[in-house]
Amino acid sequence: MSVLELVETSTQSLSIQSTNPIEKSIGNIKPPAELIAHPDELVDSIIAHVGKNIVLGLPLAIGKPIAFVNALYQRAKSDPSISLSIETGISLEKPVGKNSLERQFLKPFVDREFANVPDLDYILDLRKGAVPDNIAINEFFFKAGSFLNSPQQQNYTSTNYTHAVRDLLDKGVNVVAQLVAKRTINGVTTYSLCSNSDLALDFAPVMDELQKNGTNVAMVAEVNTNMPFMQNHAEVADNVFDLVLDQNLQQDHKDYALFAAPHASISPEDHMIGFYASTLVKDGGTLQVGIGSLSSALTYSTLLRHRQNSLYKQLMKDLQVEQKFPICKTVGDTEAFEEGLYGCSELMVDGFMHLYNAGVLKREVFEDLTIQTLLNKKKITTQVTISTLLILQDHNAISTVLTRNDVDYLKRIGVFKPSVEFTDGLLHIGEQSFAGNLKNAEALQWITKYCLGETLTGGVVMHGAFFIGPKDFYDALNNMSDADHKKFCMTSVNYVNDLYDHFIGNQQLKQAQRKHARFINSAMMVTLNGSAISDALENGQVVSGVGGQYNFVAQSHQMPDSRSIMKLRSCAVRNGKLKSNILFNYGHTTIPRQLRDIVITEYGIADLRSKPDHVVYTELIKISDSRFQQELLDKAKAAGKVAKDYEIPAEFRNNTPESIAKLYKKYTQKEVFGPFPFGCSFTEQELQLGKALKSLKSKTASRKGKMQCLWQAVTAPKPSQTVAPLLKRMGLDNPKNLQEHITKRLLTAELSK
């Protein structure tokens, strides 16, 4: 519910009456935030308020207030008397090539796709090793792979996303800042936490309490008009923040663009993983997904199931899904979505918008436990009838003889029209009035004729904690109608990621909303005992972070009809050599074996929950790449985890890239799948060059591969009319030295294939 719907205008000073404890705790005691037009002035105010020892808490990804952060960083950089510690996660940075060839490829793309997107100064200095001693940058989640083999590994804090506020407070955070959107309606200004309600909703009441106790802390916002204004829990009063940087107060100011993640290509293997995952999604259920191509692949196959169901079922038949992986019959569905899905995901990706527009993401959940329970039991629907009223009375949600509180409640949930009034024990609408006795047949007829609303109100189809995505995703959020916006609720990460009681909703409500939940996450590797490796390597180097994965896995085991699904590619090239991602053992674990459940690769589904070890081991071997199956089986037998006479069934011995390619080709000819089903951020030239550069990088990863490529370069033909423009795009049309001549020949050979 938007706070604007709860504005009380009966007194001279407008006050926002909200059920949100943040606003209730702050109330009218705290004045509206001070507006500041210039970043440097905001820095001055912060130093005056909290002093020169600043511990700055920032949200993930695009929620960082870059103008303020850069101004504060530069002030601390120029003034060693300031101690600045930045506590955050996912500090986004534009793509930068590792060599001259990659840089030449990326520059036009970056100039185009990241136009007017500012850099974070502290990241630029971090890459150069130029952060001064009085400044520290600590992160609890890295952008995947961004700080491998970096000194920044020493500044990583391992924590669950749900514990981030606690951990930042333990570190002494005294300034919390983020990017917001702003709007004023009928003289009332509110701010939207937009992409990052995740931590701010939990920080605000704590920071307010610290202020009341005399601690010098500050909640800071930076306005950016490009931010989609999200409503519901994300919309807060103008006194939630202490200081607001609004550079639009300056004449002719233009806000910077948001960092947008380009559309990721979906490989044939990713499509197969997404397809298998889609068979486990239950109509009428709940969906959580992560970011990246595996998430996009799941979205695509879910849409395929809904829109082209006969073709979807043919693909299931070709893959023998039901015969080889019977779990899809007990856990999932194969039909188009009638009841639809509800999204409950810490990260709201663009896939949820595609599902919403297709009519798949449409199951509404409500903040009222009685309503949600009755909907789950199919006692009522979202369509209001007189039966809705009587069933609420039967379940003691309202009295037989309606009271003022009953009428207010019925209006709030949409059972009664907003125009219904209650005075002197009578229901009033216009000039009509009648007693609200639900045992009286005449009263029920009158209520049916004059009072009933059409549908329940306040339902949402999506709860998310933060979002990031491509440009068209931000455009879609900005262009949504008001009615559509009310269906999407950005909220606290603690509300989304676990089942514990929270000020927004208790465990009973959360569990009622999240029926048939499918918490679908990605892993880098899985061991044969069912442990998942998702965040770090066995040498201790952190690839990304735990984030919310552990919480989602844990809550899936707390609800009887929910499942945790872990997706991963069966193998990967590491250190120039192809290796299995299903391993016998590994020296690091993100998700322990006792929380094992469902694992999916491009070769199928392994159902591990409640299974003894010998089944767990063999089920995972069945969905591993056949080039590694025997080695895995031999190790399992040697450890006594699998019977000596066990043989891999014949139907699981053809797990090869060739089998995937054959099936993929068959369906691409039917215009199914494809690398960019949701749009492409690259030009045709860039796609050709990207494919060639990726192939060269893979081939030259080993000494043997380098020698073969050099030989092909020596024998490469003269650049054709097709290849010549691509070489020019890479600045290799007129090579200036021996290195460029060799590179030109290497690229010519690869592009000429």
Side-chain angles (χ1 to χ4, degrees):
M1 178 178 289
S2 167
V3 294
L4 289 180
E5 297 174 34
L6 302 169
V7 170
E8 178 107 75
T9 56
S10 57
T11 59
Q12 255 189 342
S13 103
L14 292 174
S15 110
I16 295 179
Q17 308 294 321
S18 174
T19 56
N20 188 325
I22 291 176
E23 291 157 14
K24 288 180 75 174
S25 68
I26 295 172
N28 294 322
I29 301 170
K30 188 175 178 181
E34 178 186 348
L35 295 178
I36 297 173
H38 296 274
D40 286 330
E41 291 177 10
L42 177 55
V43 173
D44 291 336
S45 294
I46 290 295
I47 293 172
H49 189 66
V50 305
K52 290 190 172 185
N53 185 7
I54 301 169
V55 184
L56 175 65
L58 298 174
L60 302 174
I62 64 171
K64 290 179 176 57
I66 299 177
F68 165 61
V69 173
N70 283 351
L72 180 59
Y73 177 78
Q74 292 299 337
R75 182 73 63 87
K77 190 175 176 181
S78 64
D79 183 354
S81 69
I82 296 174
S83 172
L84 173 62
S85 177
I86 297 174
E87 305 287 341
T88 189
I90 310 184
S91 294
L92 297 168
E93 51 190 325
K94 301 168 191 173
V96 178
K98 295 179 180 179
N99 53 53
S100 59
L101 197 61
E102 288 185 3
R103 287 192 288 272
Q104 182 64 33
F105 170 75
L106 283 171
K107 188 179 185 309
F109 171 76
V110 170
D111 289 346
R112 180 180 73 246
E113 291 297 315
F114 296 93
N116 199 31
V117 176
D119 293 304
L120 284 162
D121 289 348
Y122 71 78
I123 283 290
L124 296 180
D125 279 0
L126 201 58
R127 291 299 184 192
K128 295 183 292 188
V131 177
D133 292 340
N134 62 316
I135 301 175
I137 295 110
N138 303 304
E139 297 206 52
F140 60 85
F141 200 101
F142 291 147
K143 184 169 69 71
S146 61
F147 287 109
L148 285 171
N149 303 308
S150 164
Q152 189 65 358
Q153 287 284 326
Q154 299 172 28
N155 297 324
Y156 170 76
T157 300
S158 184
T159 187
N160 288 324
Y161 199 177
T162 51
H163 299 152
V165 168
R166 177 205 67 188
D167 291 350
L168 267 59
L169 288 168
D170 284 350
K171 291 185 174 190
V173 163
N174 54 11
V175 179
V176 174
Q178 78 169 80
L179 210 61
V180 299
K182 175 183 178 180
R183 72 177 181 181
T184 301
I185 298 178
N186 296 328
V188 177
T189 295
T190 56
Y191 295 99
S192 174
L193 303 173
C194 309
S195 64
N196 289 89
S197 299
D198 50 353
L199 305 182
L201 284 171
D202 292 277
F203 257 126
V206 178
M207 298 291 277
D208 185 59
E209 191 63 29
L210 288 171
Q211 285 181 338
K212 289 176 182 176
N213 292 334
T215 306
N216 293 326
V217 296
M219 288 283 291
V220 177
E222 178 182 318
V223 174
N224 188 305
T225 53
N226 294 312
M227 264 290 190
F229 193 104
M230 307 305 291
Q231 301 178 28
N232 296 306
H233 298 166
E235 187 174 13
V236 298
D238 62 354
N239 61 354
V240 167
F241 295 102
D242 301 294
L243 302 165
V244 172
L245 173 64
D246 188 351
Q247 296 182 89
N248 297 292
L249 298 173
Q250 304 175 41
Q251 190 173 3
D252 299 325
H253 172 78
K254 183 179 180 182
D255 287 325
Y256 54 80
L258 303 178
F259 189 106
H263 288 283
S265 65
I266 307 175
S267 70
E269 290 77 14
D270 291 350
H271 267 302
M272 289 300 101
I273 294 169
F275 180 79
Y276 282 118
S278 72
T279 69
L280 303 176
V281 177
K282 192 84 170 173
D283 187 20
T286 302
L287 184 63
Q288 179 260 331
V289 296
I291 196 170
S293 61
L294 289 178
S295 169
S296 298
L298 168 62
T299 299
Y300 179 83
S301 282
T302 304
L303 292 171
L304 181 69
R305 169 178 152 185
H306 186 65
R307 290 169 167 166
Q308 296 176 267
N309 194 251
S310 59
L311 191 61
Y312 181 88
K313 289 179 179 177
Q314 181 59 50
L315 180 52
M316 283 195 70
K317 185 177 179 181
D318 286 351
L319 288 168
Q320 298 181 294
V321 178
E322 291 186 347
Q323 294 87 343
K324 293 170 71 175
F325 312 108
I327 186 177
C328 72
K329 292 188 287 186
T330 56
V331 167
D333 281 330
T334 60
E335 301 298 330
F337 293 88
E338 292 186 10
E339 189 176 348
L341 300 176
Y342 153 63
C344 183
S345 184
E346 67 176 19
L347 174 59
M348 184 171 78
V349 292
D350 59 317
F352 284 110
M353 288 303 300
H354 294 301
L355 294 173
Y356 180 70
N357 292 331
V360 175
L361 190 73
K362 64 179 179 180
R363 182 173 77 84
E364 296 182 38
V365 301
F366 294 80
E367 293 184 357
D368 183 279
L369 180 58
T370 300
I371 291 292
Q372 190 61 56
T373 302
L374 292 173
L375 284 168
N376 289 356
K377 293 180 177 180
K378 301 192 185 303
K379 298 281 189 182
I380 63 172
T381 70
T382 56
Q383 300 300 308
V384 173
T385 67
I386 195 64
S387 294
T388 311
L389 193 67
L390 294 175
I391 290 169
L392 287 171
Q393 186 267 322
D394 287 344
H395 287 80
N396 300 316
I398 54 175
S399 308
T400 301
V401 178
L402 297 177
T403 66
R404 180 179 300 279
N405 287 341
D406 292 331
V407 173
D408 289 343
Y409 169 70
L410 293 169
K411 289 165 64 175
R412 188 168 68 251
I413 64 175
V415 175
F416 273 5
K417 297 173 183 175
S419 53
V420 175
E421 300 293 339
F422 184 86
T423 308
D424 299 327
L426 296 176
L427 297 172
H428 299 268
I429 187 157
E431 300 297 321
Q432 306 290 328
S433 63
F434 212 94
N437 187 341
L438 302 187
K439 292 293 185 182
N440 183 293
E442 287 184 71
L444 291 178
Q445 289 177 355
W446 187 86
I447 289 171
T448 301
K449 183 175 181 180
Y450 293 107
C451 298
L452 292 183
E454 295 182 359
T455 61
L456 297 176
T457 57
V460 301
V461 298
M462 175 84 216
H463 279 108
F466 81 106
F467 63 70
I468 184 173
K471 291 178 182 178
D472 52 14
F473 175 47
Y474 302 153
D475 290 341
L477 292 176
N478 271 316
N479 295 326
M480 278 200 301
S481 68
D482 192 61
D484 286 336
H485 257 296
K486 292 182 188 304
K487 302 292 185 187
F488 290 81
C489 182
M490 302 305 296
T491 188
S492 163
V493 71
N494 283 281
Y495 181 78
V496 172
N497 284 30
D498 66 32
L499 285 177
Y500 297 120
D501 289 351
H502 190 265
F503 62 73
I504 293 173
N506 62 27
Q507 181 168 335
Q508 281 185 292
L509 177 63
K510 294 181 186 183
Q511 189 156 332
Q513 291 175 340
R514 299 171 194 186
K515 64 174 186 172
H516 298 297
R518 300 294 176 262
F519 298 118
I520 304 178
N521 293 287
S522 298
M524 299 184 295
M525 296 167 277
V526 167
T527 60
L528 286 184
N529 67 10
S531 303
I533 300 96
S534 308
D535 70 310
L537 306 178
E538 61 184 348
N539 65 0
Q541 287 190 326
V542 179
V543 177
S544 53
V546 177
Q549 187 172 108
Y550 176 84
N551 285 129
F552 281 116
V553 171
Q555 73 170 294
S556 75
H557 286 267
Q558 292 177 268
M559 297 188 290
D561 58 2
S562 297
R563 301 302 294 262
S564 166
I565 299 170
M566 204 66 70
K567 305 171 296 180
L568 77 157
R569 301 173 185 94
S570 68
C571 49
V573 175
R574 291 194 286 275
N575 299 320
K577 186 177 180 181
L578 185 72
K579 295 184 179 181
S580 176
N581 284 332
I582 296 179
L583 310 172
F584 177 71
N585 59 0
Y586 196 72
H588 172 76
T589 294
T590 310
I591 304 300
R593 63 182 179 178
Q594 66 267 27
L595 294 180
R596 61 197 182 196
D597 196 347
I598 296 171
V599 175
I600 295 177
T601 72
E602 65 267 34
Y603 299 118
I605 307 167
D607 180 15
L608 311 180
R609 196 177 76 179
S610 307
K611 303 295 192 300
D613 274 3
H614 76 94
V615 174
V616 172
Y617 277 62
T618 54
E619 287 298 296
L620 286 168
I621 290 171
K622 285 179 185 177
I623 64 167
S624 63
D625 191 288
S626 290
R627 290 168 288 184
F628 303 100
Q629 283 180 323
Q630 193 58 51
E631 178 187 352
L632 290 169
L633 183 58
D634 289 345
K635 288 182 177 180
K637 288 181 177 181
K641 303 303 292 188
V642 174
K644 297 292 186 183
D645 61 351
Y646 176 82
E647 298 288 341
I648 301 169
E651 62 267 32
F652 297 100
R653 294 181 193 164
N654 189 36
N655 293 352
T656 64
E658 291 76 20
S659 66
I660 296 288
K662 182 179 179 181
L663 184 80
Y664 185 77
K665 182 178 180 182
K666 174 182 176 180
Y667 279 88
T668 52
Q669 289 173 347
K670 297 180 180 183
E671 298 185 348
V672 176
F673 299 136
F676 293 100
F678 300 117
C680 182
S681 304
F682 297 96
T683 65
E684 189 60 39
Q685 272 195 347
E686 288 166 348
L687 288 174
Q688 294 178 61
L689 285 166
K691 182 179 179 181
L693 292 172
K694 185 178 180 180
S695 177
L696 274 176
K697 185 176 182 179
S698 176
K699 289 176 181 178
T700 57
S702 65
R703 181 176 177 83
K704 181 180 178 181
K706 286 179 182 177
M707 296 306 294
Q708 289 176 338
C709 286
L710 284 171
W711 173 249
Q712 290 173 358
V714 171
T715 59
K718 183 180 178 181
S720 66
Q721 289 184 339
T722 304
V723 171
L726 299 175
L727 294 173
K728 185 175 182 180
R729 163 67 171 75
M730 295 298 295
L732 293 172
D733 48 333
N734 294 303
K736 299 177 179 61
N737 52 49
L738 180 60
Q739 180 65 44
E740 289 190 0
H741 277 285
I742 294 173
T743 303
K744 177 181 179 179
R745 282 186 166 274
L746 281 168
L747 193 54
T748 299
E750 193 63 37
L751 289 167
S752 299
K753 292 179 180 179

